[in-house]
Amino acid sequence: MNSRPATIVDVARAAGVSKSTASDALQGSGRVAEATRLRVRAAAEQLGYRPNSAARRLRRARTGAIGLHLPQTATRLDYYMKLAFGAVARAQEENLDVVLLAPAAHTNEPLASRVDGLLVIDPEADDTAVLELLAAGVPVV
């Protein structure tokens, strides 16, 4: 038994098509004949193929993550925990991850390279991180 997961190249080889055709067939895009699409899907199922989400995100120039910023002085812990778990549950429905942003976490790496969007919850007037978050170049809610 093979210990490594099946790749799109394995699926393409098993279906007798190119990697691009296999990818298009599995994504339901491109100009792929229905018989070919079915053959590729059958090969993928037989091999136990699962798309590589990291590769897909890299190709689309997306991180697949949203940032969650909570106030430093969160006094209603139960409320914020429920909110955070709700955000995680909803994000999972969209195959997204949630990154809890540490207070005043300054790095040399721009935030926009780490998340696709931000949830800023109950921003406080004296929280300097909020201005940085707003200037990150990603959508903010």
Side-chain angles (χ1 to χ4, degrees), residues 22-104:
S23 178
D24 287 346
L26 293 173
Q27 292 183 52
S29 61
R31 295 173 52 185
V32 179
E34 188 59 27
T36 302
R37 192 177 310 279
L38 292 173
R39 189 169 74 244
V40 169
R41 288 183 178 163
E45 186 174 325
Q46 180 182 8
L47 294 170
Y49 172 75
R50 297 291 174 260
N52 182 323
S53 60
R56 188 176 279 181
R57 290 171 180 163
L58 181 62
R59 186 174 61 249
R60 293 180 179 157
R62 296 279 186 214
T63 65
I66 55 175
L68 176 61
H69 175 76
L70 299 173
Q72 288 181 338
T73 58
T75 57
R76 300 179 318 268
L77 187 58
D78 185 53
Y79 166 79
Y80 290 110
M81 289 301 291
K82 286 180 182 177
L83 190 146
F85 279 108
V88 169
R90 181 64 182 101
Q92 285 177 333
E93 292 173 11
E94 300 296 327
N95 294 318
L96 295 170
D97 297 322
V98 175
V99 176
L100 183 59
L101 302 172

Side-chain angles (χ1 to χ4, degrees), residues 1 11 15 35 45 49 70 73 83 89 114 116-117 120 131 134 139:
M1 179 167 197
V11 173
E45 186 174 325
Y49 172 75
L70 299 173
T73 58
L83 190 146
R114 295 185 284 151
D116 296 326
V120 179
L131 292 176
L134 292 174

Side-chain angles (χ1 to χ4, degrees), residues 6-13 18-20 22-24 26 40 49:
T7 67
I8 192 73
V9 172
D10 297 328
V11 173
R13 188 175 298 123
S18 71
K19 182 176 123 179
S20 297
S23 178
D24 287 346
L26 293 173
V40 169
Y49 172 75

